[in-house]
Amino acid sequence: MNHLDSTPADMPVERLMHKGLLTCSPNTPLYEVAQRMATRQFSSMLVINKGIAVGIWTEHDSLRLDFNDPTSLQIPISQVMSSPVSCVNLAAPISEVAQRFTHEGRRHFLVTDDHGQPQGIISQTDVALKQGLELYLSLRTVEETMHKDPLLLPGSLTLGQTAAFMLEQQQDAAIVSCGGGEFGIITERDMVRFVAHHPGNTPLSALASRPLLTVAPQDSLLRARDMLIDHQLRHLAVKDKDNRRIVGLLGFRNILDGAEQRYQLELHQAIAQRDNAMQHSRLNLQLAERVIEASLEGVMITNANSEIEFVNPAFTHTTGYSADEVLGKKPALLSSGRHDSAFYQEMWRTILKNGYWRGEIWNRHKSGQLYLELLTITAIRNNTGDITHFAALFTDITHIRENEDQIRKLAYYDALTQLPNRRLLEDRLEQAIKHAHRHKERLAVLFIDLDHFKQVNDSLGHAAGDELLLGVSRRMNARLREDDTLARLGGDEFIAVLPDLTDPDEVTRVARRLIEAIGEPFQLKNQSFRIGCSMGISFYPDDATEPEQLLHHADAAMYRAKQEGRNTYRLYSMQLDAHEHRWLAMETALRNAIDSGEGLSLHYQPLFACGSTQQLISMEALARWHHPELGHVSPVDFIALAERSGLILPLSQCLMTMVAAQLRHWIDAGLSPVPVAVNLSAQQFWQHDLIVQIRTLYEKYQLPAGLLSFELTESMLLDKQQQAIKVLQELRQLGCQVAMDDFGTGYSSLSYLHQLPITTLKIDRSFIQQLGENEGSEAILAAITGMANGLKLTVVAEGVETQAQLEALQKYHVDLIQGYLTGRPTPADDFAALYLIK
């Protein structure tokens, strides 16, 4: 495909159109049409009668409505629709569509196939929004393309007057003066939403969207485009360099008008490039043929029916087949038989969808020997988009994979039993602990030592000892679950990790099964004998939260089992039952505290700007609980208790109300509090009335917008990402900042992170504490801060405790600092005295 074919200007409209059409019948009432468009966020409604598009009604048409006459909204859409419908063909180039938008003064075109059947719809916004970056780089500044005489309306105007002004001035948006130096904006899309919901005499200041986002005339168009996309807007106001006066309005319509000149320039450039390319094409073709012939990678080209048309010498070297033996045949002659039909169906589905497939595949040499190859298959299309050929490039990686597997086994597995060794055990245990922490579950570590193994080794020899160890490992593996891990530390010592526990009794049952299995007779060198084992058990989080501590405690419990008779097990914590009774007492006390409010309090920890000024930017509210008998209860304990006992919702609501009340108290005292971050639990986040609760708090305590912000963890969004986006958008519409806490320790996909309407990433303290000690943590920290910078997110470093850590953070894109070095959590009165100003 040459350069001319690949330019955005000549891309067919089919690639950008919306395939989903919002349609209605000619008799549909106007208010219903507006409601459906607003709900679906469609900018147009296609009117269909007996399968034929007879008209269209758009956001711009809403300006012609009589908002002062509610009965006019009951008329059928056929009386106000535009007819006939302007159409473009599927194959029409984008440059042609863009010119028609400008010359015909239209906002939408119906896209039809060669038979005139509707296939989709294209709008001005679609064309401008989906342009390549070349458009924004060539139109360098906002000033070059903005509308320099925007419609500025007073907030006292009514909805009906506003529609008349916008229609008269042919403007799709207007800036609204809301008083007190504050501005908002109202657009055609807003007018559609207001149909049947707001009377025509509603003042404009009550309807305008605020705050008004602005750019400067000297800002790059690329930055403006990113702001429009990030904030899901269609317009930005343009203020002068002193940020005092509005001098313009920028929307996708303005960008598209500026693009027409670029397309004309591109056309001339493309013609010149085409002429130049034709002169060099013959030389390039000869060079390409020589490169393919000399390539060490196998190359195979088939036609659209998958019949082989070309192979290079490397193909023959790898497969054993000459060109004469394969030309005209299909690649199936190389099939190894290792992959089922579903594998190949998925491969071809990917090729047809994405245009290529890359992966590892087993094939068979002419001699019959199997080999593993790294294969890339690419679909080659002609100018009309039809597939004409498939090109396959492959390399034999059999020996590479065998060597990698061997190295991996030597590094992570015990040579005798093929069980995980200490290195792999520690890695799996660490992952299991993180999983247990996220899901509030227990896990157990079993330290298993064979009794009197040395006597067997000495009497029967090392070979018999090795055979015994193999037999023991097989018996234990057979008694464990699929998700459990059994590892050999060395000698006769084994470790079992049991995750996803709900009841400690599960572990004791497993321990008895293992002891019984090992105690069954063994046959070695025609002799039958029995051995036993001593076992120690430690629990996460009851006994420890770190891998080394869990292993150490399980080891200590194992020695106690040996001292108390062998061939038995012991728990590290002899007070486990007493601990469970204490949690029951704590649950009752916490329930009473939530009901009465007594004993619950909030401490506040400051967040400072990273830099020499260290300006106070915000603070985080942290819950505290003191009980007359239990004393100070750790937040780790009572938060976990609340989630376990179903008290997390009333506790969260109680704490959020306390935060709002404290903010009101500070404001009444003449102080200027900074925004307060409240941690949202998973159950609280997914409550259907969460937004109503927050809005109620703002109204009850008369808090300024943006004074409440919220933090949530990655794990809360794993299963319901799309639903989460809607909740987050509603929080942002309330002016709330939203932070993702403990970032870097979860398992969420980064592919959707840019879609989340969050404002802040809080890097987990574990990465900060390893600065200067762990290169891996530093690499992760650099990656996270770089990504956050690209996504225009605020970055917070948590857990900064030393000056060395603070200095090390200077080389990363970190905006805010939180930790003991700059400020510990303190009660409200102390916090106000230390940090808040009047």
Side-chain angles (χ1 to χ4, degrees), residues 454-634:
K454 187 176 184 301
Q455 297 175 10
V456 176
N457 225 17
D458 292 343
S459 59
L460 299 180
H462 291 289
D466 289 348
E467 188 175 345
L468 174 62
L469 291 172
L470 282 170
V472 168
S473 65
R474 293 191 191 103
R475 289 185 182 181
M476 287 195 290
N477 253 333
R479 267 72 174 183
L480 293 174
R481 302 170 301 177
E482 183 178 355
D483 293 336
D484 298 338
T485 294
L486 179 64
R488 183 189 177 206
L489 294 187
D492 61 343
E493 294 180 338
F494 296 84
I495 295 289
V497 178
L498 280 59
D500 302 329
L501 299 176
T502 57
D503 185 355
D505 289 342
E506 293 181 66
V507 181
T508 58
R509 289 193 293 269
V510 172
R512 288 193 291 270
R513 287 203 305 268
L514 295 178
I515 292 173
E516 291 172 1
I518 295 173
E520 295 175 359
F522 284 93
Q523 293 288 334
L524 292 176
K525 292 187 175 182
N526 297 323
Q527 296 185 38
S528 177
F529 64 93
R530 296 174 182 269
I531 63 169
C533 70
S534 298
M535 191 180 305
I537 304 172
S538 62
F539 289 94
Y540 169 91
D542 309 76
D543 300 325
T545 57
E546 298 295 329
E548 283 298 327
Q549 291 177 325
L550 286 169
L551 292 170
H552 179 74
H553 292 340
D555 187 16
M558 182 273 294
Y559 274 105
R560 194 167 78 243
K562 282 188 178 292
Q563 294 168 357
E564 297 178 5
R566 297 179 183 270
N567 203 37
T568 187
Y569 67 87
R570 290 291 182 267
L571 303 181
Y572 173 76
S573 175
M574 299 177 65
Q575 307 301 323
L576 188 61
D577 290 337
H579 179 77
E580 292 295 316
H581 287 300
R582 180 175 183 272
W583 273 62
L584 182 60
M586 285 176 58
E587 178 182 337
T588 302
L590 181 59
R591 193 180 301 275
N592 293 335
I594 294 172
D595 291 339
S596 65
E598 296 179 2
L600 289 174
S601 64
L602 289 168
H603 284 199
Y604 297 87
Q605 187 173 23
L607 279 75
F608 293 96
C610 183
S612 57
T613 60
Q614 290 197 347
Q615 178 185 358
L616 178 67
I617 301 300
S618 60
M619 51 182 158
E620 181 178 0
L622 301 169
R624 296 293 184 265
W625 180 31
H626 180 270
H627 188 266
E629 298 176 1
L630 299 173
H632 290 286
V633 184
S634 166

Side-chain angles (χ1 to χ4, degrees), residues 270-544:
I271 292 174
Q273 290 173 355
R274 180 198 61 188
D275 294 340
N276 185 57
M278 290 178 65
Q279 296 177 9
H280 294 282
S281 61
R282 184 170 300 174
L283 178 61
N284 290 340
L285 181 59
Q286 293 174 353
L287 180 60
E289 290 175 349
R290 292 172 185 172
V291 170
I292 293 174
E293 288 289 325
S295 174
L296 297 179
E297 285 190 302
V299 177
M300 175 176 63
I301 298 176
T302 75
N303 59 23
N305 296 322
S306 297
E307 296 167 341
I308 300 174
E309 294 186 347
F310 172 84
V311 295
N312 70 342
F315 172 93
T316 300
H317 176 76
T318 302
T319 68
Y321 290 98
S322 66
D324 292 339
E325 291 175 308
V326 299
L327 291 181
K329 298 181 180 179
K330 297 199 173 185
L333 64 89
L334 302 173
S335 177
S336 65
R338 280 199 173 189
H339 306 289
D340 58 17
S341 59
F343 173 85
Y344 292 105
Q345 289 172 2
E346 178 61 21
M347 172 196 290
W348 284 107
R349 187 194 69 80
T350 302
I351 293 172
L352 296 177
K353 177 183 177 183
N354 301 331
Y356 73 94
W357 178 89
R358 182 176 176 85
E360 297 179 3
I361 187 171
W362 286 95
N363 274 336
R364 188 179 299 275
H365 191 273
K366 182 179 178 181
S367 65
Q369 182 178 356
L370 297 182
Y371 63 93
L372 181 66
E373 67 181 29
L374 179 62
L375 171 66
T376 301
I377 301 176
T378 303
I380 300 175
R381 300 177 183 270
N382 60 17
N383 293 344
T384 61
D386 298 325
I387 295 176
T388 60
H389 294 83
F390 296 99
L393 281 75
F394 59 90
T395 303
D396 187 344
I397 60 170
T398 308
H399 297 302
I400 296 175
R401 190 64 69 245
E402 289 174 349
N403 291 338
E404 289 177 351
D405 291 342
Q406 183 63 25
I407 292 171
R408 189 178 296 108
K409 286 184 178 180
L410 291 174
Y412 293 104
Y413 291 88
D414 175 55
L416 174 64
T417 63
Q418 298 302 305
L419 293 175
N421 60 14
R422 176 182 284 274
R423 184 176 179 181
L424 182 55
L425 167 70
E426 291 175 348
D427 180 67
R428 289 190 180 179
L429 180 55
E430 184 176 353
Q431 296 302 319
I433 289 174
K434 290 180 179 178
H435 178 85
H437 173 72
R438 285 196 306 274
H439 296 280
K440 308 302 180 186
E441 296 173 344
R442 276 194 175 97
L443 68 82
V445 173
L446 282 63
F447 197 114
I448 306 158
D449 185 88
L450 303 183
D451 295 333
H452 308 301
F453 174 74
K454 187 176 184 301
Q455 297 175 10
V456 176
N457 225 17
D458 292 343
S459 59
L460 299 180
H462 291 289
D466 289 348
E467 188 175 345
L468 174 62
L469 291 172
L470 282 170
V472 168
S473 65
R474 293 191 191 103
R475 289 185 182 181
M476 287 195 290
N477 253 333
R479 267 72 174 183
L480 293 174
R481 302 170 301 177
E482 183 178 355
D483 293 336
D484 298 338
T485 294
L486 179 64
R488 183 189 177 206
L489 294 187
D492 61 343
E493 294 180 338
F494 296 84
I495 295 289
V497 178
L498 280 59
D500 302 329
L501 299 176
T502 57
D503 185 355
D505 289 342
E506 293 181 66
V507 181
T508 58
R509 289 193 293 269
V510 172
R512 288 193 291 270
R513 287 203 305 268
L514 295 178
I515 292 173
E516 291 172 1
I518 295 173
E520 295 175 359
F522 284 93
Q523 293 288 334
L524 292 176
K525 292 187 175 182
N526 297 323
Q527 296 185 38
S528 177
F529 64 93
R530 296 174 182 269
I531 63 169
C533 70
S534 298
M535 191 180 305
I537 304 172
S538 62
F539 289 94
Y540 169 91
D542 309 76
D543 300 325

